Amino acid sequence: MNIIDELEWRGAINQQTDEAGLRKLVSEKEIGVYCGIDPTGDSMHIGHLIPFMVLRRFQLAGHKPVILVGGATGSIGDPSGKSEERVLQSAEQVEKNIQKLTAQVQKLFDAGKDEQSIRLVNNLEWTGELTLLDFLRNVGKSFNVNTMLAKDIVASRLETGISFTEFTYQILQSIDFLHLYRNEDVQLQVGGADQWGNITAGLEFIRKQESADAKAFGLTIPLLLKADGTKFGKTAGGAIWLDAEKTTPYEFYQFWLNQDDRDVVRYLKYFTFLSQDEINALAEQVEAEPHKRAAQKTLAREMTLFVHGEEALADAEKITAALFSGEVKDLTAKQIEEGFKNMPTFEAPKEERNIVEWLVDVVGIEPSRRQAREDINNGAISINGEKETDVDAIIKPENSFEERFILVRKGKKKYFLVKLV
């Protein structure tokens, strides 16, 4: 199957500058294709994965992807999708972000590992030495201000205002495309839907600098919305990050596991490398047996394995199963910390106390000793996965999870995490 047909089946194409020309080109030769990411933060989130998954599909189809980390463009700020001016980051922060993002890209895609892997570049390498006079004479003359003003990314900001710095962002991105076209045999740029103006500016620049019939193309990915119309990748707690310190593998797994039946097949197409037959079979299960959530489980497994690896996936599945069954006693302290991160949390000293006193006076889970005794007698209190029915029982630090946590369950589903200090 032609890679363009594959992307269309997966719903991964929003706009193309020349569909027929690109389809013909990719069927005739291996091409270079690139996508950029600016170091505006120290981690990618799942929204960043969408164009990179397209790069990976081009690689699997025999083409040569390049990932560009924007050391230069990240210092300026992309106005795309922003209603107001970005706050400039310090050079030190940009460099720290570059290091973090580079490590993520290398881990996910084996970028820069060898000649066959996805290539990794930083646009500061060719932009950092560009003088102001060279910029104005050799680059600026190719850009018409009226055309730049008409781009959606600029036009949408004219009322609120846009600095000259952000106004020139599309020029810097155009320089990148020309450099990669000349030096890395890159003929296609891939980006989000909001990058259309920047991509077409780069194509115009290439044709002015090279020739009017230069074979360069642009392709954008659709803005991904959930079935309810809200933006994909956002939760009440914020973005879903690829950094395990920001979004734990368990939280990451749960995000995918909890996707709506109306969205899950679309996400399988976008984010996984499962075949069409495998995805179609899961789509049939969504229709016939939605209660089994086979598609969601597959999506959660595939994505957690891809981003965090086998060990993290095993932990996430173990925590999920333990929470569902209530059998938490075999979890490690690390798994407890990860799985119960967002549960009500209390602190208690590492000392022995009667369970009634501990529940009321130390951690405050129970409102009164009478209520505590009643709940214990009724079997409503579990400590570390074991039901406790003895009002004279003693809470001991050595009976905790590695003397770090005690897990209390009240009723069937109400959990409390107690940190021993």
Side-chain angles (χ1 to χ4, degrees):
M1 179 183 291
N2 186 294
I3 180 63
I4 304 302
D5 292 326
E6 170 78 4
L7 295 177
E8 286 180 343
W9 180 81
R10 292 182 180 272
I13 296 178
N14 179 51
Q15 289 177 283
Q16 299 180 67
T17 54
D18 177 6
E19 179 183 350
L22 180 59
R23 185 183 293 274
K24 182 174 184 293
L25 183 68
V26 297
S27 66
E28 292 175 345
K29 58 171 285 193
E30 294 178 3
I31 69 164
V33 49
Y34 99 94
C35 177
I37 180 170
D38 280 339
T40 52
D42 61 2
S43 173
M44 291 190 287
H45 54 70
I46 55 176
H48 290 124
L49 279 180
I50 303 172
F52 289 133
M53 290 302 199
V54 170
L55 285 198
R56 176 66 174 143
R57 295 190 204 285
F58 269 98
Q59 184 184 38
L60 293 174
H63 300 285
K64 299 172 291 186
V66 175
I67 292 177
L68 182 150
V69 179
T73 42
S75 301
I76 299 303
D78 184 357
S80 304
K82 297 294 179 184
S83 59
E84 57 188 31
E85 198 80 8
R86 291 177 183 267
V87 176
L88 291 180
Q89 299 183 103
S90 68
E92 292 77 13
Q93 186 59 54
V94 170
E95 181 57 34
K96 286 180 182 177
N97 293 344
I98 288 171
Q99 291 175 8
K100 288 284 190 73
L101 292 180
T102 299
Q104 282 188 340
V105 167
Q106 288 173 329
K107 176 188 173 188
L108 286 172
F109 299 102
D110 284 335
K113 184 177 179 182
D114 52 44
E115 289 295 322
Q116 283 69 49
S117 64
I118 291 179
R119 286 168 289 173
L120 186 61
V121 296
N122 182 341
N123 59 14
L124 193 60
E125 294 171 14
W126 56 84
T127 309
E129 300 302 318
L130 186 63
T131 68
L132 177 59
L133 285 178
D134 286 340
F135 176 79
L136 293 174
R137 288 178 57 84
N138 302 330
V139 179
K141 275 292 185 182
S142 293
F143 287 84
N144 183 290
V145 170
N146 290 342
T147 303
M148 293 175 69
L149 288 170
K151 301 280 185 184
D152 287 344
I153 50 177
V154 174
S156 63
R157 287 278 297 279
L158 291 180
E159 191 172 327
T160 57
I162 183 170
S163 69
F164 179 74
T165 300
E166 290 196 4
F167 179 62
T168 59
Y169 183 92
Q170 60 182 282
I171 299 180
L172 290 188
Q173 189 163 318
S174 299
I175 294 171
D176 293 342
F177 202 171
L178 176 63
H179 175 88
L180 295 176
Y181 179 86
R182 285 175 169 171
N183 298 284
E184 299 285 350
D185 195 28
V186 167
Q187 293 177 270
L188 172 64
Q189 182 181 173
V190 173
D194 62 350
Q195 292 299 306
W196 182 252
N198 291 330
I199 291 172
T200 53
L203 291 171
E204 293 164 13
F205 184 50
I206 288 172
R207 286 169 186 139
K208 287 179 179 178
Q209 293 285 317
E210 298 293 296
S211 69
D213 58 353
K215 291 185 184 296
F217 303 85
L219 182 153
T220 61
I221 315 299
L223 175 65
L224 201 54
L225 298 175
K226 296 190 287 188
D228 62 9
T230 59
K231 193 173 181 180
F232 166 79
K234 299 286 186 178
T235 68
I240 304 299
W241 301 98
L242 305 192
D243 186 337
E245 297 296 319
K246 292 176 176 285
T247 299
T248 68
Y250 168 73
E251 291 171 313
F252 189 83
Y253 179 90
Q254 287 295 313
F255 170 80
W256 299 104
L257 188 64
N258 291 321
Q259 291 306 314
D260 193 301
D261 287 343
R262 296 171 294 173
D263 293 319
V264 66
V265 174
R266 198 154 47 98
Y267 296 164
L268 284 166
K269 290 179 178 181
Y270 261 92
F271 292 103
T272 76
F273 297 99
L274 299 176
S275 68
Q276 291 195 19
D277 288 343
E278 289 172 309
I279 292 174
N280 287 334
L282 287 165
E284 290 175 7
Q285 285 186 270
V286 172
E287 292 294 324
E289 301 174 308
H291 59 284
K292 291 187 176 180
R293 300 184 70 74
Q296 283 87 346
K297 291 174 183 176
T298 301
L299 178 63
R301 279 197 301 271
E302 291 290 322
M303 293 309 301
T304 308
L305 179 63
F306 176 68
V307 173
H308 293 295
E310 291 183 8
E311 185 177 341
L313 171 60
D315 280 350
E317 290 183 320
K318 186 175 180 181
I319 296 166
T320 300
L323 277 170
F324 182 78
S325 66
E327 295 293 324
V328 299
K329 56 183 178 294
D330 292 330
L331 296 178
T332 65
K334 176 178 173 292
Q335 290 166 343
I336 289 289
E337 185 174 33
E338 189 172 323
F340 294 86
K341 176 182 175 183
N342 295 317
M343 300 292 182
T345 302
F346 302 87
E347 290 187 349
K350 289 182 180 180
E351 59 184 27
E352 295 185 5
R353 289 291 292 268
N354 168 266
I355 186 172
V356 173
E357 296 174 3
W358 188 79
L359 288 170
V360 178
D361 302 333
V362 179
V363 293
I365 290 172
E366 289 284 15
S368 67
R369 297 190 180 195
R370 181 195 62 78
Q371 185 65 55
R373 282 190 287 268
E374 183 178 321
D375 285 342
I376 293 168
N377 285 324
N378 292 336
I381 298 294
S382 293
I383 304 293
N384 298 335
E386 298 284 358
K387 190 173 289 187
E388 186 56 75
T389 57
D390 181 5
V391 295
D392 294 321
I394 302 297
I395 299 294
K396 299 179 180 180
E398 59 264 33
N399 295 334
S400 64
F401 291 94
E402 300 171 27
E403 294 201 13
R404 292 180 60 200
F405 304 110
I406 293 175
L407 194 61
V408 181
R409 187 174 73 173
K410 184 177 177 181
K412 290 185 176 180
K413 294 183 178 180
K414 207 168 185 179
Y415 282 96
F416 303 89
L417 181 64
V418 180
K419 294 182 178 181
L420 298 182
V421 296

